[in-house]
Structure formats: C-alpha cells, structure tokens
Amino acid sequence: MTESLFAAALEWAWALEEPALGRVRLFVHEANARAGAFYRRFGFEPSGQVVPMPTDPSAKELEYVFPRPV
C-alpha cells in the first residue's frame, strides 16, 4: 500500500502543468537507512547535499532527488 501511494504521488507531481517540475526532492535523516533504501527503490538518488536538521543542528539530513522522466 505504501509503495502504491508513493508511486501515485510521483505521478501527480509530474502531471502538474504549472509550475512544471524539473525534479522531486526530499530529505532523509542520516540515521534512517530504511527510508533511504525505500526511496532508492523508486529511483531516487542521493544528490550529495547534506543539511543540518532544523530541530537539531548536530544531526544531518541527506537530500535525495528524482529527475523528471523524459
């Protein structure tokens, strides 16, 4: 169920006409390997960008991106 809901959200994102999206991105806590694996299964890739968590600057969030299908 989670996979189909997530796939539907991605389809919706690409269906938007205004503004047209060039990519979908999200951030995953550095210690949440399970979430990272879930997003990689859908084709998200780590961008290499790392940002501090707003609520705890000592913790990091990793950016994952999914480019717009051609």
Side-chain angles (χ1 to χ4, degrees), residues 1 10 12 14 17 22 28 36 41 43 47 51-52 54 57 60 65-66:
M1 170 94 172
L10 281 177
W12 172 83
W14 300 135
E17 293 180 17
V28 176
R41 279 200 330 256
S47 71
V51 297
K60 306 291 181 235
V65 296
F66 190 104

Side-chain angles (χ1 to χ4, degrees), residues 5-67:
L5 181 60
F6 193 75
L10 281 177
E11 287 179 32
W12 172 83
W14 300 135
L16 293 175
E17 293 180 17
E18 291 295 326
L21 299 178
R23 66 183 176 155
V24 172
R25 70 182 192 147
L26 51 84
F27 291 87
V28 176
H29 189 281
E30 63 187 339
N32 196 344
R34 186 174 176 190
F38 176 84
Y39 296 126
R40 285 191 304 276
R41 279 200 330 256
F42 277 93
F44 280 81
E45 296 181 359
S47 71
Q49 181 176 349
V50 179
V51 297
M53 286 197 59
T55 57
D56 178 6
S58 69
K60 306 291 181 235
E61 291 183 308
L62 313 174
E63 181 186 50
Y64 282 76
V65 296
F66 190 104

